[in-house]
Amino acid sequence: MERRSRLTNLEVFVVRAAHLTEEQRGHVRELQSQCFAEVPYDQLMEDFVAQSVAKVLAYHEGQPVGCVSVFRRSIEHAGRSIVLGGCGGTCTRADLRGRGVGTTVCLAAMDVLRQEGCDAAFLAVGETSGTAAFYERLGFVLLGKPFTFVNARGVTKTPSSDDVGMLAPVCAREVFELVMAGGEPLHLGPEKGYW
Ligand SMILES: CC(C)(COP(=O)(O)OP(=O)(O)OC[C@H]1O[C@@H](n2cnc3c(N)ncnc32)[C@H](O)[C@@H]1OP(=O)(O)O)[C@@H](O)C(=O)NCCC(=O)NCCS
């Protein structure tokens, strides 16, 4: 990616899901429709149904330029209860990519996950999209094994696209290491959906 100057005067807001205004919802929809237009409708309705706990929104000169959704849920893995956080649907307005917006919103999302006491953070990326490199800079590593989730109809599935999981330590490095070490797939249920 071409190296461009950082956007310096970003205004960043962390908004709990219950406090999102209609205007902010509109900004998220506008950005996501630019960034994820290729995601099939079925996948949106059946797989990407996880409820976020907060959104991070970035504005430049009063205009929405980036956002990410923040997730938190409890899962069981290798006989242990884990508080799994996540950030998903990171997007930067197309003409402002490569200027630090994505990094800024994701770092703010990671701060939320730390405050929420999440052990580790999960996200999924398209294996062939190249975005894994972006998240590696933020401390995520490829899971290196499958993950499963429960879709909107209650069916346990593996992702249908070329999505692969990534994990980062947040509050508990030993939990991150536990999940990374075992051969057992990471199951994101029983809550529905993934991100
Ligand atoms: C992925 C995305 C959010 C990155 O946002 P951004 O604002 O461009 O990211 P940043 O400017 O903070 O990039 C930070 C670094 O990661 C690199 N980077 C950004 N996107 C990258 C990508 N897709 N692949 C590899 N490296 C990438 C940048 O070059 C930059 O490196 P530098 O610090 O050496 O200059 C943005 O490209 C986007 O909205 N893409 C479309 C939606 C999408 O695919 N989201 C991810 C869903 S999993």
Side-chain angles (χ1 to χ4, degrees), residues 1 3 6 35-36 90-92 97-103 124-125 130-131 133-135 137:
M1 182 176 281
R3 197 171 263 280
R6 292 287 174 252
C35 295
F36 302 111
T90 316
C91 55
T92 297
R97 291 185 190 157
R99 301 188 65 186
V101 176
T103 302
V125 290
T131 42
F134 166 73
Y135 290 111
R137 292 160 183 261

Side-chain angles (χ1 to χ4, degrees), residues 6 22 41 57 66 81 99 120 134-135 141-142 153 179 187:
R6 292 287 174 252
E22 264 319 302
Y41 183 75
L57 276 154
S81 287
R99 301 188 65 186
F134 166 73
Y135 290 111
V141 294
L142 285 168
R153 287 178 289 130
V179 175
H187 182 53

Side-chain angles (χ1 to χ4, degrees), residues 164-180:
V164 291
M166 297 187 85
L167 199 72
V170 182
C171 294
R173 176 159 281 277
E174 76 280 8
V175 170
F176 164 79
E177 281 164 5
L178 173 87
V179 175
M180 292 303 293

Side-chain angles (χ1 to χ4, degrees), residues 25-73:
R25 279 180 214 283
H27 294 158
V28 172
R29 271 197 302 272
E30 181 188 319
L31 287 163
Q32 290 187 335
S33 64
Q34 270 183 31
C35 295
F36 302 111
E38 80 292 351
V39 177
Y41 183 75
D42 287 358
Q43 205 181 359
L44 280 180
M45 301 310 287
E46 294 214 344
D47 300 348
F48 293 124
V49 292
Q51 296 297 309
S52 60
V53 293
K55 306 274 183 206
V56 180
L57 276 154
Y59 293 83
H60 182 249
E61 295 174 349
Q63 298 301 310
V65 296
C67 67
V68 62
S69 301
V70 184
F71 299 87
R72 182 190 194 274
R73 61 172 53 168

Side-chain angles (χ1 to χ4, degrees), residues 14 56 68-70 86-87 104-114:
V14 176
V56 180
V68 62
S69 301
V70 184
C87 41
T104 301
V105 293
C106 285
L107 288 175
M110 296 300 276
D111 280 345
V112 176
L113 299 182
R114 221 166 280 121

